[in-house]
Amino acid sequence: MRIVERWMTLMLAVVIAGCGEKKVGSIEEFNGLVKKVQKKNEEIGEINKEIMDAVRQFNASRKADDQLTIPDTMLGLNQDQLKKIQDMVEKEQDLTYRGLLTQIIDKDKQIDRMNEELTEIKARLPKPHAVRMGDSHYDVCMDFLTKEKNLPRDKAAKFLEETALIDELRDGFNIWLYYDDKEGVFGTFVTQGTARISPNQFKYTIRKMQLEAAKESGKEEAMKEMQKAPGDTMARP
């Protein structure tokens, strides 16, 4: 079954990655592999966006009962969703709508292939930390260095002072961690993981919100100043 095979592939990757830390031989290799994961996540996200756009076009002029509902997920379609669309293709008379449905199926196959490639890349890396609400990049790195790599806290703190960390984290992001005790080298990356937005997009969104909030605050302060009663400016003898 298609969805079972997909999940079995992903679970296999987790098992392999869990014992695959020794496969990364250098910080350069670690950086290169994580960048490949990041790029593949972005490609999958773009194709998934194309699928959702096709769904919206298909639903635009359809009655509620005839509309197509697909969860927005990085894993693509499950077996039931795929079969439903395949059945709809066979019954659809309108060539435009049939083309949209076929496009969704073809795009989903692309996601399948990319997820397989992503699985192979991840199998060569240590298992990442999946971000949960309340996590901070600093704390995750500190726990990794002190608890897993047994570094003194002051030495770990020195590494983190010299490392670019991400302030804005979201549930589903992956934090990748690497430490070479022989070379004394530490590295970390944050990638999209299962989140619906990339770290760069999320950072941009947060910065935009902060800028807009600052502008609004500035406007409010200016209005308050303008509304203040004028002071006593009458000259006194």
Side-chain angles (χ1 to χ4, degrees):
M1 290 172 57
R2 186 169 179 273
I3 188 64
V4 173
E5 290 174 353
R6 176 178 281 166
W7 278 108
M8 285 180 66
T9 300
L10 293 175
M11 288 302 294
L12 178 61
V14 170
V15 173
I16 294 174
C19 59
E21 188 168 355
K22 299 298 183 182
K23 295 182 180 180
V24 179
S26 67
I27 188 66
E28 291 79 15
E29 183 182 4
F30 170 78
N31 290 343
L33 289 172
V34 176
K35 287 179 180 177
K36 287 182 179 180
V37 170
Q38 187 175 28
K39 187 173 187 298
K40 195 63 64 178
N41 275 332
E42 291 171 356
E43 291 172 353
I44 292 173
E46 285 300 315
I47 295 177
N48 188 69
K49 182 178 180 296
E50 292 172 5
I51 288 177
M52 301 312 295
D53 287 343
V55 169
R56 281 189 286 272
Q57 291 180 51
F58 179 84
N59 290 340
S61 58
R62 311 287 287 199
K63 295 180 180 179
D65 293 342
D66 296 330
Q67 290 186 354
L68 185 60
T69 302
I70 297 179
D72 192 3
T73 168
M74 293 286 281
L75 293 176
L77 304 174
N78 63 35
Q79 184 184 18
D80 292 338
Q81 293 162 353
L82 179 62
K83 186 177 185 309
K84 179 180 178 180
I85 296 176
Q86 289 171 334
D87 291 343
M88 292 173 72
V89 170
E90 294 178 3
K91 297 175 183 177
E92 182 59 55
Q93 299 298 317
D94 189 293
L95 293 179
T96 300
Y97 289 124
R98 186 186 297 175
L100 287 171
L101 293 170
T102 303
Q103 179 182 342
I104 292 170
I105 293 173
D106 291 341
K107 294 292 182 184
D108 183 64
K109 290 178 181 177
Q110 291 184 42
I111 288 182
D112 263 353
R113 290 193 294 271
M114 288 188 175
N115 272 320
E116 289 174 2
E117 294 169 4
L118 190 57
T119 296
E120 292 176 3
I121 298 170
K122 287 183 176 180
R124 298 167 59 190
L125 285 161
K127 184 178 177 181
H129 172 88
V131 173
R132 298 180 296 273
M133 186 179 295
D135 283 347
S136 77
H137 198 179
Y138 184 94
D139 289 342
V140 170
C141 292
M142 179 60 75
D143 285 348
F144 169 77
L145 290 171
T146 58
K147 296 178 181 179
E148 293 189 35
K149 299 303 177 181
N150 299 315
L151 292 185
R153 192 171 184 86
D154 58 343
K155 185 174 181 179
K158 179 64 175 175
F159 274 122
L160 299 185
E161 287 174 6
E162 300 170 351
T163 303
L165 302 178
I166 303 297
D167 294 328
E168 302 84 2
L169 294 181
R170 181 167 179 159
D171 285 10
F173 282 176
N174 281 339
I175 298 178
W176 301 86
L177 303 149
Y178 174 84
Y179 178 68
D180 186 333
D181 55 349
K182 293 181 180 179
E183 298 293 333
V185 177
F186 170 70
T188 180
F189 266 94
V190 177
T191 61
Q192 186 168 346
T194 59
R196 298 306 312 142
I197 188 171
S198 72
N200 282 339
Q201 291 170 329
F202 188 55
K203 180 179 180 179
Y204 173 78
T205 300
I206 294 295
R207 291 288 185 268
K208 186 177 180 181
M209 291 171 60
Q210 290 173 339
L211 181 59
E212 290 174 351
K215 287 181 178 178
E216 287 301 317
S217 177
K219 289 178 182 178
E220 291 177 5
E221 289 299 318
M223 289 298 294
K224 288 178 182 178
E225 290 295 325
M226 292 173 63
Q227 292 170 0
K228 284 182 179 179
D232 184 7
T233 57
M234 185 178 297
R236 289 181 172 82

